[in-house]
Amino acid sequence: MTNTEEQLLEELAEHPGVIRTYFEGMVPSLLGFLIQLLGAVLVLFVGSRLIKVILHILEKSLKKSRAETGVVTFLCSLVKYALYFILFMIILGQFGVTTSSVVAVLGSAGLTLGLALQGSLSNFAGGVLILLLKPFVVGDYIVDAGTGQEGTVSEITIFYTKLLTIDNKLILIPNGTLSNSSITNISHMEKRRIDLIIGVSYEANLAKTKEVLHEVVKKEAAVLEDEPLDIYVSDLGENAVQMGLRVWVKNEDYWPTRWRLIENIKNALDENEISIPYPQLDVTMHER
């Protein structure tokens, strides 16, 4: 034990009230901190409930004004983050931290934060562009050329767009990526054209083949009668004459109609003895 430690123990033995005085001096500070902590917890509890009420009122008002689902989701997310930031500043004020000091710290660290959050800022800006330009809305079926992903838009949030695939998978694509890539909006238009190419044998009667295809189309109820119907020779391939077929249907009927047409065309060609050729190789064996 050093001399300094021995002197400290001797002073404490001669004046035991020093320890009691020290702890008594800490009591007001500890009580003050506990009061601040309880105040912060109360503010957090009340503030969180109040934010939920405000968001509920905002969402209800936007839906009542018939705003698009994507706009409602985006604005609610934006207001939510803004309100929680304000609540965070109020809680810091309970501990004596002033708003000006926080702003000063954020200002001095602005460059660092900007570099660290440049991806998030890009996604936020992309979300704003999507809502302003409206290349798609909630409910549209889109294909993103940048990522190759496709699906139905289920939600547009402040940073991500959620796609629901036909096999019920959820895909999150950053808004910045979507706003900077080529997007195909498949379901935006009411009507869509079905393009089919059918190969028939070179021995087939082309006029009869066209009649058969025309009869198949006439029996398909989903085909729009007021739209043009095209049946034509598309190309002369190596193994077959390529017949082209173009019809128009409603967007929601595209895939079921396409599948039915392919099946019915195959059956009709078989019934009329019009062969559909396929690549084959004939091998002749010679004995020596």
Side-chain angles (χ1 to χ4, degrees):
M1 182 178 297
T2 62
N3 295 332
T4 304
E5 292 175 348
E6 291 177 354
Q7 292 176 359
L8 179 60
L9 290 175
E10 290 177 358
E11 291 180 0
L12 291 176
E14 295 176 357
H15 306 284
V18 173
I19 299 176
R20 185 179 63 184
T21 304
Y22 174 76
F23 282 106
E24 288 178 350
M26 289 183 61
V27 171
S29 300
L30 183 60
L31 288 176
F33 175 76
L34 290 176
I35 292 174
Q36 289 177 340
L37 183 61
L38 289 175
V41 172
L42 182 62
V43 170
L44 177 62
F45 178 77
V46 175
S48 300
R49 293 298 180 90
L50 185 60
I51 289 174
K52 290 180 180 179
V53 172
I54 293 174
L55 292 175
H56 178 72
I57 295 174
L58 176 62
E59 183 178 0
K60 190 175 181 180
S61 301
L62 290 173
K63 288 183 178 179
K64 191 175 181 180
S65 63
R66 297 182 179 180
E68 292 182 357
T69 306
V71 176
V72 174
T73 305
F74 187 86
L75 289 179
C76 287
S77 299
L78 182 61
V79 172
K80 177 182 177 181
Y81 284 111
L83 290 177
Y84 271 107
F85 177 76
I86 295 173
L87 179 61
F88 176 71
M89 299 297 293
I90 295 175
I91 292 175
L92 288 180
Q94 296 293 315
F95 294 96
V97 180
T98 61
T99 304
S100 58
S101 61
V102 175
V103 172
V105 172
L106 291 178
S108 61
L111 180 60
T112 304
L113 288 174
L115 293 174
L117 300 176
Q118 58 181 349
S120 298
L121 294 176
S122 174
N123 292 334
F124 174 77
V128 173
L129 288 175
I130 289 172
L131 290 176
L132 290 177
L133 301 178
K134 296 182 180 179
F136 56 83
V137 296
V138 173
D140 284 347
Y141 190 95
I142 65 171
V143 179
D144 176 29
T147 61
Q149 302 289 353
E150 61 180 274
T152 302
V153 180
S154 62
E155 189 177 357
I156 303 174
T157 65
I158 191 170
F159 295 119
Y160 293 90
T161 293
K162 298 180 181 180
L163 300 184
L164 193 62
T165 63
I166 56 176
D167 55 348
N168 207 32
K169 295 178 182 177
L170 184 63
I171 300 175
L172 276 70
I173 302 180
N175 290 333
T177 301
L178 281 176
S179 62
N180 291 322
S181 64
S182 177
I183 301 172
T184 302
N185 192 331
I186 295 176
S187 60
H188 181 72
M189 307 303 292
E190 294 182 0
K191 296 177 289 187
R192 189 175 175 187
R193 192 179 71 187
I194 297 177
D195 291 271
L196 296 177
I197 299 294
I198 305 101
V200 298
S201 172
Y202 271 96
E203 288 75 22
N205 187 316
L206 296 184
K208 183 179 179 180
T209 303
K210 288 184 177 181
E211 290 179 5
V212 172
L213 296 178
H214 191 269
E215 286 297 320
V216 172
V217 173
K218 284 178 60 178
K219 294 178 182 178
E220 178 54 59
V223 173
L224 300 177
E225 297 180 356
D226 56 341
E227 294 294 335
L229 163 63
D230 297 316
I231 301 175
Y232 56 95
V233 177
S234 174
D235 194 10
L236 300 176
E238 293 183 5
N239 304 298
V241 178
Q242 305 294 339
M243 302 295 297
L245 172 66
R246 291 178 178 174
V247 295
W248 289 84
V249 296
K250 292 182 179 179
N251 207 310
E252 60 270 19
D253 296 332
Y254 178 84
W255 286 110
T257 307
R258 182 184 179 90
W259 296 330
R260 283 197 303 269
L261 283 175
I262 293 174
E263 181 178 353
N264 293 336
I265 287 172
K266 172 63 168 63
N267 293 333
L269 292 177
D270 289 344
E271 291 174 2
N272 289 272
E273 298 181 350
I274 300 175
S275 63
I276 301 176
Y278 51 87
Q280 56 185 346
L281 179 64
D282 294 330
V283 179
T284 302
M285 303 293 292
H286 295 280
E287 294 185 0
R288 292 186 177 181

